[in-house]
Amino acid sequence: MQLQQLACFVAVVDEAHFTRAAQRLHLAQPSLSAQVRSLEREVGGPLLHRRRGDVRPTEAGERLLPYARRILADAAAASAEMRRVRGLETGVLRVGATPSAGTALLPPVLRRFHDAHPGVVLHLAEAGSRDLVEQLAVGALDLAVVVLPVAAHGGALATTPLLRDALVLASATDGPAPVAGPSAAAGDLADVDLVLPGEGYDLRATTLAACATAGVEPRVVADGGELDVVVALVRAGVGAAVLPRTVVDGAGGALRATPLRGPALHRTVGVAHRKDVPLGRAAAEVRRLLVEQTS
């Protein structure tokens, strides 16, 4: 059964007249009649009693009529829903971000998006870049703000750089400085009590890689926490941590930022999505806002 066949059948029943039904649907009467006959062949029998000036449904037509109305109503509702989604009136957007980006970069962008499109529900995921890349790859996220480059999945993700964020050695402002000078090198970390985030955080991998390159063994005093726990431990004076400057700046003066010397001690934050799946309109709009904010 085709929607056009059902629409013609319902119109004839409603109007009790082929000519008026054809006018209602803006069809030529022979075309409408052909659609009804095609539907009758499909169901295997007559659906209408045809009398001059008076057309009534047969018993089979009466049985089919509520189904036909429901199908046409559902089709119209589905079409309207798709128009709303395309117009960003409704829908769901799944966005991921690293904890630092989720705190500093994403909120103003999502505020602008929500103000313009309040009907779109935002589902947020906070994790390290490696975990976010995995979620993108399996389709659990539409868009994610991650640390670049993304090495996993052999180029399956499209990425756009947003900003370059320096890494610093963060420590509590009410405690002693972690190093004697105004800046620190990776080799100085051997003499610093370090707090490390858990697996999946690029900050952890970067810190350990810098120590390995400098030929030193890090002195880890706390290991495995989420980023907010790492920041809390540093603020409490448990140890120091390698953190993005944006995180230190957002700590309200509770953290000291000691610059780190070395070309690898910075990170590039970018936005990523899958290449093989067309970017939805909502995701494309958030991506545009992110690029606009950081340009």
Side-chain angles (χ1 to χ4, degrees):
M1 297 183 189
Q2 298 177 7
L3 292 177
Q4 180 77 345
Q5 293 172 335
L6 295 174
C8 289
F9 166 66
V10 170
V12 171
V13 172
D14 288 346
E15 300 293 337
H17 199 280
F18 275 85
T19 300
R20 290 195 296 268
Q23 291 171 345
R24 168 173 149 180
L25 296 179
H26 305 290
L27 292 174
Q29 183 175 328
S31 296
L32 180 137
S33 298
Q35 291 283 354
V36 173
R37 286 194 300 271
S38 176
L39 179 60
E40 289 177 322
R41 287 194 298 271
E42 182 100 21
V43 300
L47 296 171
L48 298 168
H49 293 298
R50 294 163 170 84
R51 301 186 184 93
R52 183 177 296 276
D54 184 24
V55 180
R56 302 289 180 187
T58 64
E59 181 181 355
E62 292 283 4
R63 295 289 186 89
L64 177 62
L65 187 59
Y67 292 100
R69 293 192 191 281
R70 190 180 313 142
I71 291 169
L72 292 171
D74 286 345
S79 178
E81 184 70 10
M82 292 303 98
R83 288 195 299 273
R84 285 195 293 271
V85 170
R86 289 194 299 270
L88 294 180
E89 295 177 19
T90 187
V92 175
L93 176 62
R94 303 164 302 169
V95 182
T98 63
S100 55
T103 300
L105 184 60
L106 205 53
V109 165
L110 294 184
R111 170 62 186 273
R112 289 176 61 190
F113 178 84
H114 175 70
D115 286 348
H117 312 290
V120 178
V121 178
L122 299 170
H123 285 188
L124 306 178
E126 185 180 72
S129 285
R130 296 180 185 183
D131 292 340
L132 292 173
V133 165
E134 292 294 332
Q135 292 183 57
L136 281 172
V138 300
L141 292 174
D142 302 307
L143 200 71
V145 180
V146 297
V147 176
L148 302 181
V150 291
H153 303 287
L157 300 180
T159 60
T160 303
L162 296 174
L163 58 87
R164 192 174 187 267
D165 197 2
L167 298 180
V168 298
L169 186 60
S171 57
T173 53
D174 59 358
V179 296
S183 63
D188 298 328
L189 298 181
D191 301 318
V192 176
D193 290 343
L194 286 177
V195 179
L196 286 180
E199 297 287 346
Y201 282 94
D202 285 272
L203 288 170
R204 175 190 181 91
T206 299
T207 303
L208 296 178
C211 290
T213 300
V216 300
E217 186 70 25
R219 195 165 71 198
V220 179
V221 296
D223 186 9
E226 300 294 334
L227 191 63
D228 56 348
V229 175
V230 171
V231 171
L233 291 174
V234 173
R235 292 178 66 168
V238 174
V242 176
L243 296 175
R245 179 172 285 278
T246 52
V247 172
V248 176
D249 292 344
L255 298 181
R256 174 194 296 111
T258 300
L260 286 168
R261 302 190 302 274
L265 293 172
H266 70 275
R267 66 177 192 166
T268 300
V269 177
V271 59
H273 60 89
R274 284 175 58 170
K275 286 182 180 177
D276 61 336
V277 177
L279 198 59
R281 187 171 175 187
E285 177 63 7
V286 169
R287 178 184 175 278
R288 184 191 70 79
L289 291 172
L290 282 166
V291 172
E292 180 181 288
Q293 176 170 292
T294 55
S295 60

